[in-house]
Amino acid sequence: MIHEIEEEPLFLKVKSRDTVLVGEDEICKVLSFVGGARDPLAPTLFQVANVDTGEIKFVHGEEVREIVSTYEQEVQKTIESPAEGPITNILPTVENYEKKIGNNKLSGN
């Protein structure tokens, strides 16, 4: 007798803040989930935000076709290659203002 190991459904692996493919062509960010009656920790319904339209709605777990990007992957990408320089480059300081206006020193009276 061969025992086949059933792989758990994809929607059980989805967590809040993951980016998922819903249906055929809708990319959504998972905002929260609602557990099932039998197992409150198993997500049954997901509250998602469509990344293109901003529409917020509930979808059933079976509608999730793929996990496009997990939250952990997105954080790791941000750490490895930040889109902008350190925050000290944009804080409102005298030095940053001087850079902005062309390195002309601010002089007091």
Side-chain angles (χ1 to χ4, degrees):
M1 179 182 259
I2 299 175
H3 296 284
E4 291 185 27
I5 299 173
E6 270 189 48
E7 190 173 323
E8 66 181 9
L10 177 67
F11 68 88
L12 292 177
K13 298 176 185 175
V14 176
K15 299 177 198 149
S16 289
R17 300 182 290 186
D18 287 351
T19 305
V20 296
L21 174 66
V22 175
E24 296 299 317
D25 60 352
E26 190 174 8
I27 303 293
C28 297
K29 191 75 146 176
V30 177
L31 303 175
S32 65
F33 62 88
V34 178
R38 293 183 191 160
D39 184 1
L41 297 178
T44 304
L45 290 173
F46 294 98
Q47 183 182 33
V48 298
N50 184 306
V51 297
D52 294 324
T53 65
E55 175 189 16
I56 296 175
K57 64 181 181 178
F58 281 95
V59 296
H60 191 274
E62 290 290 330
E63 294 180 64
V64 175
R65 300 285 178 236
E66 181 181 341
I67 299 174
V68 176
S69 176
T70 65
Y71 178 68
E72 289 82 13
Q73 290 170 336
E74 292 175 20
V75 169
Q76 190 62 36
K77 271 194 267 182
T78 303
I79 291 171
E80 289 173 357
S81 60
E84 56 190 43
I87 194 158
T88 55
N89 290 345
I90 59 171
L91 290 175
T93 62
V94 171
E95 292 82 16
N96 289 336
Y97 186 72
E98 288 172 347
K99 287 180 200 173
K100 185 176 180 180
I101 62 172
N103 291 330
N104 297 332
K105 295 282 182 191
L106 296 178
S107 59
N109 293 0

